[in-house]
Amino acid sequence: MISDSRLATPVSHAAAKRPPAPPSASQLKAHKAWQAGVDLVSRRQYAEARQQFKRAVEHDPHDALYWLNLSRCCVRLHLPDEALAAATRALTLDPDSLLAVQMVARLHRDRAHHEEALAVLLSLSADVPKDPTYHVLLGATLTDLGRTVEASQTFLDALTLKPDHEEAYMQLGFNLAKMRRHADAAECFRTVLAFRPQALDCALYAVHYAAWGCDWPAVDRDRDALADCIDLVDDQTDCGAISPFCLLSISDDPHLQQAMARWDMRRFDPLPAPMTEQAWPREPGQRLRVGMVSCDFHHHATSMLMVDLLETLDRAQVELYLFSHGPDDGSTLRSRVVRSADHFIECRGLSTRAQAELIRDHQIDVLVDLKGYTMDTRISVFSYRPAPVQVAWLGYPGSCGAPFIDYVVGDPVVTPFEAQSAYTECIAQLPVCYQPNDRTRARTSTRTRAECGLPEDKVVLASFNQSYKINRDVFDAWCRVLRQVPDSVLWVLTPDDPVRQKLREEAQARGLDPARLIFAGFEPIEQHRLRIGLADLHLDTFPCGGHTTCSDALWGGVPTVALQGQTFASRVAPSLLRAVGCEELICHDLAQYEALSVALARDGKRRQALRQRLEQARDTAPLYNTERLAQDLVALFQRMHERRVQGLAPAPLQLATH
């Protein structure tokens, strides 16, 4: 999903009102320039307005209002450092300015300086009346810092002052979701939708959090409300930032997912001027400079997948730069990732523009986004175009809808060329599978069924995907499988008691003993991987299937039944199954999925044969041939680069199979 800082209370860019101009000549000039800036802002001519506001502060540097208007203008022009400097000057001149406090706090929060944002907010004198916007911003900052209980109260303070304050409801919803109170979170977004039926962002979040809670009647209603909302909005509707990630588990329509992504891209209108448009000059034989941007270079699924690949890349061909805006957790995995790079560059605390400038200064040839619309994304760095070729890979299973991303790296299954119309990026295909795997993972399960609360004498069907991926149709199919295989149980990864109770009730309503559902909680990944092999059969979800989850199940020797749809998110497990030599486990409709699951659950010899194939595949299957994947990825990046050097526009690319 996207980070909360993108969903902070929007800054009002209308210029504040002024009392009559002061009498001195210098102040008259300042006022005249300021008024010209206000007029230009009303016409969305922000670059020209910035120059006028700069003239105003030159003539009268002691007027906080002029600095504040300059700051607002710089925000619109994607100049966050200048915006922060101007807002800070305004606050210094007028420490009791509520507007200046809010502006400085927002700008600190946008670069993840949460402690600084909180200090600024709390610096405001108790004598200054606080408006609802102040309370919302304070609550959002407390949420950033993990102080969710305190945050809830500040949102309620805002709603006490203004009961229909939309942003207060939205931020309260995000806060409740962090507290895993998904039903309450969904209700917050429904409330906003009741105030404003065109609130596309809230319609999307409502259905997403209802899905987290496995509240399927609510999901149905919220899906209908989302469809109604889509019919209501047009290009003139202001819906704020949205998270296309939330649609992945709701719809198998790739064009709808692309439309949501393109909608979110409107927040970059106007786009900042490109920092570079041409390929960097290179000496013959000079290595290709590849940069990767993520906050997940630590103990995270992305690093778990790719660390072996990073270590395998041919350094005679590639000079690898990792630009990290995430935490240093001190883990062994973090150390491996850092060592794998030629240059590991910390970007925490930098504004997005400053990070883009840093990337540009390193003259990166191919810049890779590993986040898309997932948590704490910095796709905004790419909006400055700091590299001549910009690529999406691994982190987000779909189109980013971004005019500044040239390629999406996939494979013949997840991104077939006939799906090109569903991508704003050009499809670039690896010949086997887009997803890397770490061959150093543990190969055997050292845990017991008794330790994990599983029966020794039952067929254990498992699904380790998170609850928002479990929908009514999939659960119906699971229950029908359980009814046809009486000696089976279903092992589900669901840590939340309300969701567990909901699933028990749904099972009972379908004539099943709820005791046949066995729930697993979250565990550290190493411990989790040691229990995966205890399952007899893994059942994937649809339309958003397992990605890292599926690769872990296959590595653990557990056959996985998957349903292939139309979207990237529904085709990852099929891609993995093809690359590991188990294409017969790919289904194309729910009836086939159900029938195959029943057949495998009843046939222990067949499951055992599949398990042996999967265990042998660790040494033989293309999915685990990291050397080949490293070569293919570099070759794909080189082809992208060569097109740029030749002055050619991005185009769909395919690598020949070996």
Side-chain angles (χ1 to χ4, degrees), residues 628-641:
R628 172 180 173 174
L629 177 58
Q631 292 169 9
D632 288 341
L633 190 64
V634 171
L636 202 58
F637 289 159
Q638 286 175 332
R639 286 187 62 187
M640 298 172 185
H641 172 65

Side-chain angles (χ1 to χ4, degrees), residues 516-534:
R516 293 182 67 185
L517 302 185
I518 299 174
F519 297 105
F522 291 153
E523 291 188 351
I525 187 62
E526 291 83 2
Q527 286 295 103
H528 173 63
R529 284 173 172 166
L530 294 177
R531 68 182 175 181
I532 288 175
L534 300 174

Side-chain angles (χ1 to χ4, degrees), residues 4-14 72 75-76 99 102-103 106-107 109-110 131-134 136-137 140 165-168 170-171 174 196 201 238-242 267:
D4 287 352
S5 64
R6 286 178 47 208
L7 303 165
T9 307
V11 175
S12 171
H13 299 295
R72 287 171 166 169
V75 169
R76 293 306 299 258
L99 291 175
Q102 292 173 357
M103 178 64 84
R106 286 190 189 99
L107 290 166
R109 186 170 176 253
D110 284 346
D131 64 5
T133 300
Y134 172 88
V136 170
L137 188 53
H165 197 287
E166 294 181 8
E167 190 65 22
M170 291 180 66
Q171 291 294 338
F174 294 128
R196 183 164 51 91
D201 45 356
D238 182 9
C239 296
I242 63 173
R267 63 195 168 91

Side-chain angles (χ1 to χ4, degrees), residues 276-279 388-389 640-648 650:
T276 181
E277 297 181 347
Q278 302 298 320
V389 177
M640 298 172 185
H641 172 65
E642 288 165 4
R643 288 190 63 85
R644 191 67 172 184
V645 170
Q646 295 167 13
L648 300 175

Side-chain angles (χ1 to χ4, degrees), residues 287-433:
R287 292 187 295 171
L288 189 73
R289 292 186 178 181
V290 174
M292 298 184 178
V293 177
S294 181
C295 61
D296 297 331
F297 297 130
H298 54 92
H299 200 269
H300 184 277
T302 297
S303 289
M304 292 171 195
L305 287 174
M306 69 187 304
V307 64
D308 190 12
L309 172 73
L310 297 180
E311 293 168 337
T312 307
L313 289 174
D314 184 357
R315 288 301 187 274
Q317 298 184 68
V318 171
E319 186 173 3
L320 180 62
Y321 292 72
L322 299 181
F323 297 94
S324 173
H325 58 275
D328 178 356
D329 60 357
S331 64
T332 301
L333 181 58
R334 165 82 172 194
S335 297
R336 282 184 68 188
V337 172
V338 172
R339 290 195 304 270
S340 75
D342 295 284
H343 310 276
F344 190 91
I345 301 170
E346 292 283 6
C347 300
R348 280 180 297 168
L350 294 181
S351 67
T352 54
R353 184 178 184 89
Q355 184 171 347
E357 290 171 343
L358 181 65
I359 292 168
R360 177 204 58 198
D361 292 345
H362 282 94
Q363 296 189 355
I364 302 300
D365 297 307
V366 177
L367 186 66
V368 183
D369 175 39
L370 297 172
K371 292 297 297 180
Y373 289 106
T374 56
M375 183 64 72
D376 294 325
T377 178
R378 278 204 172 181
I379 196 172
S380 52
V381 167
F382 290 73
S383 70
Y384 297 96
R385 175 95 36 198
V389 177
Q390 303 193 152
V391 183
W393 175 52
L394 192 60
Y396 182 71
S399 176
C400 292
F404 43 78
I405 300 293
D406 302 310
Y407 296 94
V408 57
V409 174
D411 61 54
V413 176
V414 295
T415 54
F417 284 127
E418 55 266 29
Q420 179 61 73
S421 63
Y423 292 84
T424 53
E425 310 90 342
C426 290
I427 290 173
Q429 283 185 354
L430 292 164
V432 178
C433 181

Side-chain angles (χ1 to χ4, degrees), residues 91 94-102 118-131 134:
L91 183 58
D94 187 0
D96 290 334
S97 168
L98 185 61
L99 291 175
V101 163
Q102 292 173 357
L118 181 62
V120 169
L121 289 164
L122 296 180
S123 71
L124 194 60
S125 169
D127 297 332
V128 177
K130 315 298 191 296
D131 64 5
Y134 172 88

Side-chain angles (χ1 to χ4, degrees), residues 573-594:
S575 175
L576 294 167
L577 288 167
R578 170 180 171 268
V580 83
C582 290
E583 289 185 76
E584 71 267 33
L585 300 181
I586 302 171
C587 302
H588 298 279
D589 59 50
L590 202 58
Q592 183 187 8
Y593 172 91
E594 180 181 329

